[in-house]
Amino acid sequence: MNELDALVDSARQGFEQAATPADLENAKAVFLGKSGRITELMKGLASLSIDEKKARGAVINQAKQAIEAALNARRQALADAELDAQLKAEALDVTLAGRQPGQGGLHPVSLTLERIEGIFGSMGFDVAQGPEIESDWFNFTALNTPEDHPARSMHDTFYVEGGTATAPNLLRTHTSPMQIRHAVQHVNAHRALLDAGETMPEIRVIAPGRTYRVDSDATHSPMFHQCEGLWIGANVSFKDLKVVFTDFCRTFFESDDLVLRFRPSFFPFTEPSAEIDIQFQSGPLAGRWLEVAGSGQVHPNVVRNMGLDPEKYIGFAFGMGPDRLTMLRYGVNDLRLFFDGDIRFLSQFQ
Ligand code: DAH
């Protein structure tokens, strides 16, 4: 083997041994660098004759090209290896099952509200929504509960700073203010009919929503839900209340032998007034009277505050507790569970 073949050979070996691109660059300097072996050989040409230069130069060039080819091959091999390693390190297992996004669902009380709206909707009731920050007027005074009325003490609530009696100044203690709000809107919408001495279409509405009181134990929460009902017309009686509410309860609890009891009571905005109790004839709650709503014939003062003549318009109202209905329906005994936000509890209703 001549001297140049040996040089090419040792360059190949040197490149082969280089394990990283940096090693390879160092090995390259030995052979192709400014003071590398090839450069040295080229310098040696200076002392030769023209013909010798040509012949010797050509073979040195061949050797140089062979070394460069070996260098490039090794460069490519190292780059391939690096890419391979990177692909392995960052490997994605596309056959792995994806992460399922959790399936959300409705809160049990929302399920009850939907149910209530569906049942009353089928009986021709509209659904109205009203503000949770309410004025003294709508929450109390318009509902025949003037300032200093003792019934106000049962509705201790949270007051908003800077409010006045007619601007929103408290968190509503019940959904009953919606009786006035909705009726006034209805009356205004039919003003022309009323002014012409004609009879306006009946008011038939439910108003579900959040309500607030200073109250907290296993069956009371400072925030709770109510659903108001109101039916006003020229000839709406307590009998209609009994029919509507009995129908509602039997449909809601899917039980035909459910019994209702209208127990005399007092509310400033109804006269006469009644608490509505229900009794299941079978199942775990059988035989007990369970209070589910307050109700009554709308008081003439309240009818007047709706903008109607109590001599011509009459009707009934009720206010029930969807939280209570939810507890009874699912057999939950602590109201607070509904509002703790524990997903283990809530997911049982999906
Ligand atoms: N608003 C009453 C309360 O929260 C419940 C109530 C009673 C509503 C009688 C009514 C009603 O509409 O007629 O205690």
Side-chain angles (χ1 to χ4, degrees), residues 7 10 15 27 50 81 92 96 129-130 156 160 174 180 190 221 229 232 234 240 251 278 284 293 318 324 345:
L7 182 63
S10 78
F15 296 161
I50 301 260
L92 281 183
L96 204 64
Q129 301 274 352
D156 191 11
V160 177
H174 50 178
I180 308 290
H190 297 96
S221 140
I232 299 274
D240 297 303
T251 312
I278 61 171
F318 58 82
R324 190 87 207 284
F345 171 75

PDB file of all heavy atoms in Angstrom, residues 7 10 15 27 50 81 92 96 129-130 156 160 174 180 190 221 229 232 234 240 251 278 284 293 318 324 345:
ATOM      1  N   LEU A   7      -2.822   6.951   3.968  1.00  0.00           N
ATOM      2  CA  LEU A   7      -3.383   8.179   4.554  1.00  0.00           C
ATOM      3  C   LEU A   7      -4.913   8.165   4.502  1.00  0.00           C
ATOM      4  O   LEU A   7      -5.606   8.427   5.491  1.00  0.00           O
ATOM      5  CB  LEU A   7      -2.833   9.400   3.806  1.00  0.00           C
ATOM      6  CG  LEU A   7      -3.280  10.754   4.339  1.00  0.00           C
ATOM      7  CD1 LEU A   7      -2.775  10.964   5.774  1.00  0.00           C
ATOM      8  CD2 LEU A   7      -2.815  11.876   3.430  1.00  0.00           C
ATOM      9  N   SER A  10      -6.227   5.736   7.049  1.00  0.00           N
ATOM     10  CA  SER A  10      -6.217   6.182   8.451  1.00  0.00           C
ATOM     11  C   SER A  10      -7.252   7.296   8.667  1.00  0.00           C
ATOM     12  O   SER A  10      -7.853   7.425   9.740  1.00  0.00           O
ATOM     13  CB  SER A  10      -4.808   6.608   8.897  1.00  0.00           C
ATOM     14  OG  SER A  10      -4.519   7.895   8.412  1.00  0.00           O
ATOM     15  N   PHE A  15     -12.308   8.942  11.094  1.00  0.00           N
ATOM     16  CA  PHE A  15     -13.704   9.418  11.009  1.00  0.00           C
ATOM     17  C   PHE A  15     -14.657   8.397  11.625  1.00  0.00           C
ATOM     18  O   PHE A  15     -15.606   8.744  12.321  1.00  0.00           O
ATOM     19  CB  PHE A  15     -14.095   9.671   9.543  1.00  0.00           C
ATOM     20  CG  PHE A  15     -13.298  10.770   8.877  1.00  0.00           C
ATOM     21  CD1 PHE A  15     -13.231  10.871   7.482  1.00  0.00           C
ATOM     22  CD2 PHE A  15     -12.618  11.723   9.657  1.00  0.00           C
ATOM     23  CE1 PHE A  15     -12.506  11.877   6.863  1.00  0.00           C
ATOM     24  CE2 PHE A  15     -11.880  12.743   9.024  1.00  0.00           C
ATOM     25  CZ  PHE A  15     -11.818  12.822   7.633  1.00  0.00           C
ATOM     26  N   ALA A  27     -11.299  15.328  13.914  1.00  0.00           N
ATOM     27  CA  ALA A  27     -10.618  14.354  13.050  1.00  0.00           C
ATOM     28  C   ALA A  27     -10.379  14.944  11.660  1.00  0.00           C
ATOM     29  O   ALA A  27      -9.337  14.733  11.043  1.00  0.00           O
ATOM     30  CB  ALA A  27     -11.454  13.077  12.965  1.00  0.00           C
ATOM     31  N   ILE A  50       7.816  20.862 -12.894  1.00  0.00           N
ATOM     32  CA  ILE A  50       6.459  21.042 -13.414  1.00  0.00           C
ATOM     33  C   ILE A  50       5.782  19.698 -13.652  1.00  0.00           C
ATOM     34  O   ILE A  50       4.661  19.459 -13.189  1.00  0.00           O
ATOM     35  CB  ILE A  50       6.464  21.829 -14.743  1.00  0.00           C
ATOM     36  CG1 ILE A  50       7.099  23.204 -14.544  1.00  0.00           C
ATOM     37  CG2 ILE A  50       5.033  21.910 -15.327  1.00  0.00           C
ATOM     38  CD1 ILE A  50       6.175  24.372 -14.382  1.00  0.00           C
ATOM     39  N   ALA A  81     -27.958   8.978  12.736  1.00  0.00           N
ATOM     40  CA  ALA A  81     -28.019   8.340  14.056  1.00  0.00           C
ATOM     41  C   ALA A  81     -28.667   9.295  15.062  1.00  0.00           C
ATOM     42  O   ALA A  81     -29.476   8.888  15.903  1.00  0.00           O
ATOM     43  CB  ALA A  81     -26.610   7.949  14.519  1.00  0.00           C
ATOM     44  N   LEU A  92     -44.114   8.904  19.906  1.00  0.00           N
ATOM     45  CA  LEU A  92     -45.519   9.004  20.301  1.00  0.00           C
ATOM     46  C   LEU A  92     -46.157   7.658  20.030  1.00  0.00           C
ATOM     47  O   LEU A  92     -46.029   7.136  18.920  1.00  0.00           O
ATOM     48  CB  LEU A  92     -46.240  10.044  19.442  1.00  0.00           C
ATOM     49  CG  LEU A  92     -46.053  11.506  19.791  1.00  0.00           C
ATOM     50  CD1 LEU A  92     -46.906  12.349  18.850  1.00  0.00           C
ATOM     51  CD2 LEU A  92     -46.454  11.752  21.233  1.00  0.00           C
ATOM     52  N   LEU A  96     -52.104   4.565  21.685  1.00  0.00           N
ATOM     53  CA  LEU A  96     -52.567   4.721  23.066  1.00  0.00           C
ATOM     54  C   LEU A  96     -53.939   5.393  23.070  1.00  0.00           C
ATOM     55  O   LEU A  96     -54.170   6.344  22.328  1.00  0.00           O
ATOM     56  CB  LEU A  96     -51.560   5.611  23.804  1.00  0.00           C
ATOM     57  CG  LEU A  96     -51.479   5.477  25.315  1.00  0.00           C
ATOM     58  CD1 LEU A  96     -50.999   4.082  25.685  1.00  0.00           C
ATOM     59  CD2 LEU A  96     -50.518   6.515  25.869  1.00  0.00           C
ATOM     60  N   GLN A 129     -88.223  35.097  34.736  1.00  0.00           N
ATOM     61  CA  GLN A 129     -87.004  35.226  35.537  1.00  0.00           C
ATOM     62  C   GLN A 129     -86.938  36.644  36.079  1.00  0.00           C
ATOM     63  O   GLN A 129     -87.297  37.581  35.375  1.00  0.00           O
ATOM     64  CB  GLN A 129     -85.756  35.016  34.671  1.00  0.00           C
ATOM     65  CG  GLN A 129     -85.683  33.685  33.982  1.00  0.00           C
ATOM     66  CD  GLN A 129     -85.081  32.595  34.843  1.00  0.00           C
ATOM     67  OE1 GLN A 129     -84.578  32.892  35.935  1.00  0.00           O
ATOM     68  NE2 GLN A 129     -85.123  31.369  34.380  1.00  0.00           N
ATOM     69  N   GLY A 130     -86.449  36.791  37.316  1.00  0.00           N
ATOM     70  CA  GLY A 130     -86.347  38.139  37.872  1.00  0.00           C
ATOM     71  C   GLY A 130     -85.058  38.336  38.633  1.00  0.00           C
ATOM     72  O   GLY A 130     -84.295  37.391  38.825  1.00  0.00           O
ATOM     73  N   ASP A 156     -85.402  37.678  57.458  1.00  0.00           N
ATOM     74  CA  ASP A 156     -84.161  38.405  57.689  1.00  0.00           C
ATOM     75  C   ASP A 156     -83.240  38.106  56.503  1.00  0.00           C
ATOM     76  O   ASP A 156     -83.051  36.960  56.126  1.00  0.00           O
ATOM     77  CB  ASP A 156     -83.533  37.924  59.004  1.00  0.00           C
ATOM     78  CG  ASP A 156     -82.389  38.811  59.429  1.00  0.00           C
ATOM     79  OD1 ASP A 156     -82.228  39.893  58.819  1.00  0.00           O
ATOM     80  OD2 ASP A 156     -81.668  38.429  60.351  1.00  0.00           O
ATOM     81  N   VAL A 160     -77.989  45.461  50.702  1.00  0.00           N
ATOM     82  CA  VAL A 160     -76.931  45.984  49.842  1.00  0.00           C
ATOM     83  C   VAL A 160     -76.676  47.430  50.251  1.00  0.00           C
ATOM     84  O   VAL A 160     -77.617  48.206  50.394  1.00  0.00           O
ATOM     85  CB  VAL A 160     -77.387  45.926  48.366  1.00  0.00           C
ATOM     86  CG1 VAL A 160     -76.348  46.537  47.458  1.00  0.00           C
ATOM     87  CG2 VAL A 160     -77.682  44.485  47.969  1.00  0.00           C
ATOM     88  N   HIS A 174     -87.644  35.688  48.794  1.00  0.00           N
ATOM     89  CA  HIS A 174     -88.550  34.718  48.163  1.00  0.00           C
ATOM     90  C   HIS A 174     -88.743  35.122  46.696  1.00  0.00           C
ATOM     91  O   HIS A 174     -88.265  36.179  46.273  1.00  0.00           O
ATOM     92  CB  HIS A 174     -89.892  34.627  48.908  1.00  0.00           C
ATOM     93  CG  HIS A 174     -90.567  35.952  49.187  1.00  0.00           C
ATOM     94  ND1 HIS A 174     -91.783  36.049  49.810  1.00  0.00           N
ATOM     95  CD2 HIS A 174     -90.197  37.232  48.934  1.00  0.00           C
ATOM     96  CE1 HIS A 174     -92.130  37.327  49.920  1.00  0.00           C
ATOM     97  NE2 HIS A 174     -91.187  38.059  49.408  1.00  0.00           N
ATOM     98  N   ILE A 180     -95.535  40.495  41.386  1.00  0.00           N
ATOM     99  CA  ILE A 180     -95.792  41.897  41.036  1.00  0.00           C
ATOM    100  C   ILE A 180     -95.111  42.251  39.713  1.00  0.00           C
ATOM    101  O   ILE A 180     -95.730  42.783  38.802  1.00  0.00           O
ATOM    102  CB  ILE A 180     -95.278  42.836  42.154  1.00  0.00           C
ATOM    103  CG1 ILE A 180     -95.833  42.410  43.523  1.00  0.00           C
ATOM    104  CG2 ILE A 180     -95.623  44.285  41.834  1.00  0.00           C
ATOM    105  CD1 ILE A 180     -97.310  42.654  43.705  1.00  0.00           C
ATOM    106  N   HIS A 190    -101.175  44.776  28.066  1.00  0.00           N
ATOM    107  CA  HIS A 190    -102.590  44.711  27.654  1.00  0.00           C
ATOM    108  C   HIS A 190    -103.362  45.954  28.071  1.00  0.00           C
ATOM    109  O   HIS A 190    -104.575  45.920  28.251  1.00  0.00           O
ATOM    110  CB  HIS A 190    -103.239  43.438  28.225  1.00  0.00           C
ATOM    111  CG  HIS A 190    -102.611  42.190  27.697  1.00  0.00           C
ATOM    112  ND1 HIS A 190    -101.627  41.507  28.380  1.00  0.00           N
ATOM    113  CD2 HIS A 190    -102.784  41.525  26.524  1.00  0.00           C
ATOM    114  CE1 HIS A 190    -101.234  40.470  27.659  1.00  0.00           C
ATOM    115  NE2 HIS A 190    -101.911  40.455  26.540  1.00  0.00           N
ATOM    116  N   SER A 221     -80.371  26.725  53.855  1.00  0.00           N
ATOM    117  CA  SER A 221     -79.100  27.261  53.379  1.00  0.00           C
ATOM    118  C   SER A 221     -79.311  28.751  53.108  1.00  0.00           C
ATOM    119  O   SER A 221     -80.406  29.151  52.714  1.00  0.00           O
ATOM    120  CB  SER A 221     -78.708  26.488  52.106  1.00  0.00           C
ATOM    121  OG  SER A 221     -78.167  27.352  51.161  1.00  0.00           O
ATOM    122  N   GLY A 229     -95.605  30.562  41.748  1.00  0.00           N
ATOM    123  CA  GLY A 229     -96.648  30.308  40.746  1.00  0.00           C
ATOM    124  C   GLY A 229     -97.730  31.362  40.912  1.00  0.00           C
ATOM    125  O   GLY A 229     -98.010  31.795  42.035  1.00  0.00           O
ATOM    126  N   ILE A 232    -103.901  34.458  37.592  1.00  0.00           N
ATOM    127  CA  ILE A 232    -104.877  35.532  37.823  1.00  0.00           C
ATOM    128  C   ILE A 232    -105.795  35.636  36.609  1.00  0.00           C
ATOM    129  O   ILE A 232    -105.315  35.639  35.479  1.00  0.00           O
ATOM    130  CB  ILE A 232    -104.160  36.902  38.011  1.00  0.00           C
ATOM    131  CG1 ILE A 232    -103.224  36.886  39.206  1.00  0.00           C
ATOM    132  CG2 ILE A 232    -105.180  38.037  38.109  1.00  0.00           C
ATOM    133  CD1 ILE A 232    -103.849  37.198  40.536  1.00  0.00           C
ATOM    134  N   ALA A 234    -110.391  36.364  35.531  1.00  0.00           N
ATOM    135  CA  ALA A 234    -111.674  36.891  35.989  1.00  0.00           C
ATOM    136  C   ALA A 234    -112.352  35.900  36.933  1.00  0.00           C
ATOM    137  O   ALA A 234    -113.203  36.273  37.740  1.00  0.00           O
ATOM    138  CB  ALA A 234    -112.568  37.183  34.789  1.00  0.00           C
ATOM    139  N   ASP A 240    -109.125  25.731  41.563  1.00  0.00           N
ATOM    140  CA  ASP A 240    -108.134  25.615  40.493  1.00  0.00           C
ATOM    141  C   ASP A 240    -106.737  25.371  41.074  1.00  0.00           C
ATOM    142  O   ASP A 240    -105.947  24.607  40.546  1.00  0.00           O
ATOM    143  CB  ASP A 240    -108.136  26.879  39.623  1.00  0.00           C
ATOM    144  CG  ASP A 240    -109.466  27.089  38.925  1.00  0.00           C
ATOM    145  OD1 ASP A 240    -109.883  26.165  38.201  1.00  0.00           O
ATOM    146  OD2 ASP A 240    -110.090  28.143  39.120  1.00  0.00           O
ATOM    147  N   THR A 251     -97.532  14.338  39.081  1.00  0.00           N
ATOM    148  CA  THR A 251     -96.672  14.178  37.901  1.00  0.00           C
ATOM    149  C   THR A 251     -95.206  14.240  38.321  1.00  0.00           C
ATOM    150  O   THR A 251     -94.387  13.426  37.888  1.00  0.00           O
ATOM    151  CB  THR A 251     -96.953  15.287  36.861  1.00  0.00           C
ATOM    152  OG1 THR A 251     -98.355  15.370  36.674  1.00  0.00           O
ATOM    153  CG2 THR A 251     -96.269  14.994  35.550  1.00  0.00           C
ATOM    154  N   ILE A 278     -97.784  17.209  51.497  1.00  0.00           N
ATOM    155  CA  ILE A 278     -98.071  16.007  50.694  1.00  0.00           C
ATOM    156  C   ILE A 278     -97.778  14.768  51.526  1.00  0.00           C
ATOM    157  O   ILE A 278     -97.004  14.820  52.494  1.00  0.00           O
ATOM    158  CB  ILE A 278     -97.232  15.949  49.389  1.00  0.00           C
ATOM    159  CG1 ILE A 278     -95.729  15.912  49.701  1.00  0.00           C
ATOM    160  CG2 ILE A 278     -97.552  17.121  48.491  1.00  0.00           C
ATOM    161  CD1 ILE A 278     -94.873  15.630  48.473  1.00  0.00           C
ATOM    162  N   PRO A 284     -90.391   4.824  51.222  1.00  0.00           N
ATOM    163  CA  PRO A 284     -89.725   5.107  52.506  1.00  0.00           C
ATOM    164  C   PRO A 284     -90.335   6.281  53.271  1.00  0.00           C
ATOM    165  O   PRO A 284     -90.176   6.370  54.487  1.00  0.00           O
ATOM    166  CB  PRO A 284     -88.282   5.407  52.110  1.00  0.00           C
ATOM    167  CG  PRO A 284     -88.311   5.729  50.648  1.00  0.00           C
ATOM    168  CD  PRO A 284     -89.470   4.985  50.080  1.00  0.00           C
ATOM    169  N   ALA A 293     -95.077  23.624  50.045  1.00  0.00           N
ATOM    170  CA  ALA A 293     -95.328  24.960  49.478  1.00  0.00           C
ATOM    171  C   ALA A 293     -96.220  25.794  50.376  1.00  0.00           C
ATOM    172  O   ALA A 293     -96.948  25.266  51.219  1.00  0.00           O
ATOM    173  CB  ALA A 293     -95.973  24.824  48.100  1.00  0.00           C
ATOM    174  N   PHE A 318     -98.682  30.495  44.652  1.00  0.00           N
ATOM    175  CA  PHE A 318     -98.008  29.525  45.534  1.00  0.00           C
ATOM    176  C   PHE A 318     -96.507  29.731  45.419  1.00  0.00           C
ATOM    177  O   PHE A 318     -96.004  30.300  44.433  1.00  0.00           O
ATOM    178  CB  PHE A 318     -98.385  28.074  45.181  1.00  0.00           C
ATOM    179  CG  PHE A 318     -98.064  27.686  43.766  1.00  0.00           C
ATOM    180  CD1 PHE A 318     -96.772  27.290  43.405  1.00  0.00           C
ATOM    181  CD2 PHE A 318     -99.048  27.722  42.782  1.00  0.00           C
ATOM    182  CE1 PHE A 318     -96.484  26.938  42.105  1.00  0.00           C
ATOM    183  CE2 PHE A 318     -98.759  27.373  41.464  1.00  0.00           C
ATOM    184  CZ  PHE A 318     -97.473  26.985  41.124  1.00  0.00           C
ATOM    185  N   ARG A 324     -86.216  21.297  48.427  1.00  0.00           N
ATOM    186  CA  ARG A 324     -86.970  20.327  49.224  1.00  0.00           C
ATOM    187  C   ARG A 324     -87.511  19.207  48.321  1.00  0.00           C
ATOM    188  O   ARG A 324     -87.425  18.021  48.649  1.00  0.00           O
ATOM    189  CB  ARG A 324     -88.125  21.076  49.902  1.00  0.00           C
ATOM    190  CG  ARG A 324     -88.878  20.310  50.940  1.00  0.00           C
ATOM    191  CD  ARG A 324     -88.206  20.458  52.296  1.00  0.00           C
ATOM    192  NE  ARG A 324     -88.455  19.310  53.163  1.00  0.00           N
ATOM    193  CZ  ARG A 324     -89.609  19.089  53.790  1.00  0.00           C
ATOM    194  NH1 ARG A 324     -90.609  19.905  53.677  1.00  0.00           N
ATOM    195  NH2 ARG A 324     -89.738  18.017  54.576  1.00  0.00           N
ATOM    196  N   PHE A 345     -70.727  13.445  45.030  1.00  0.00           N
ATOM    197  CA  PHE A 345     -72.162  13.494  45.332  1.00  0.00           C
ATOM    198  C   PHE A 345     -72.955  13.850  44.067  1.00  0.00           C
ATOM    199  O   PHE A 345     -73.900  13.147  43.684  1.00  0.00           O
ATOM    200  CB  PHE A 345     -72.429  14.524  46.437  1.00  0.00           C
ATOM    201  CG  PHE A 345     -73.888  14.799  46.679  1.00  0.00           C
ATOM    202  CD1 PHE A 345     -74.688  13.878  47.354  1.00  0.00           C
ATOM    203  CD2 PHE A 345     -74.471  15.974  46.228  1.00  0.00           C
ATOM    204  CE1 PHE A 345     -76.041  14.119  47.568  1.00  0.00           C
ATOM    205  CE2 PHE A 345     -75.820  16.231  46.439  1.00  0.00           C
ATOM    206  CZ  PHE A 345     -76.606  15.302  47.106  1.00  0.00           C
TER     207      PHE A 345
END
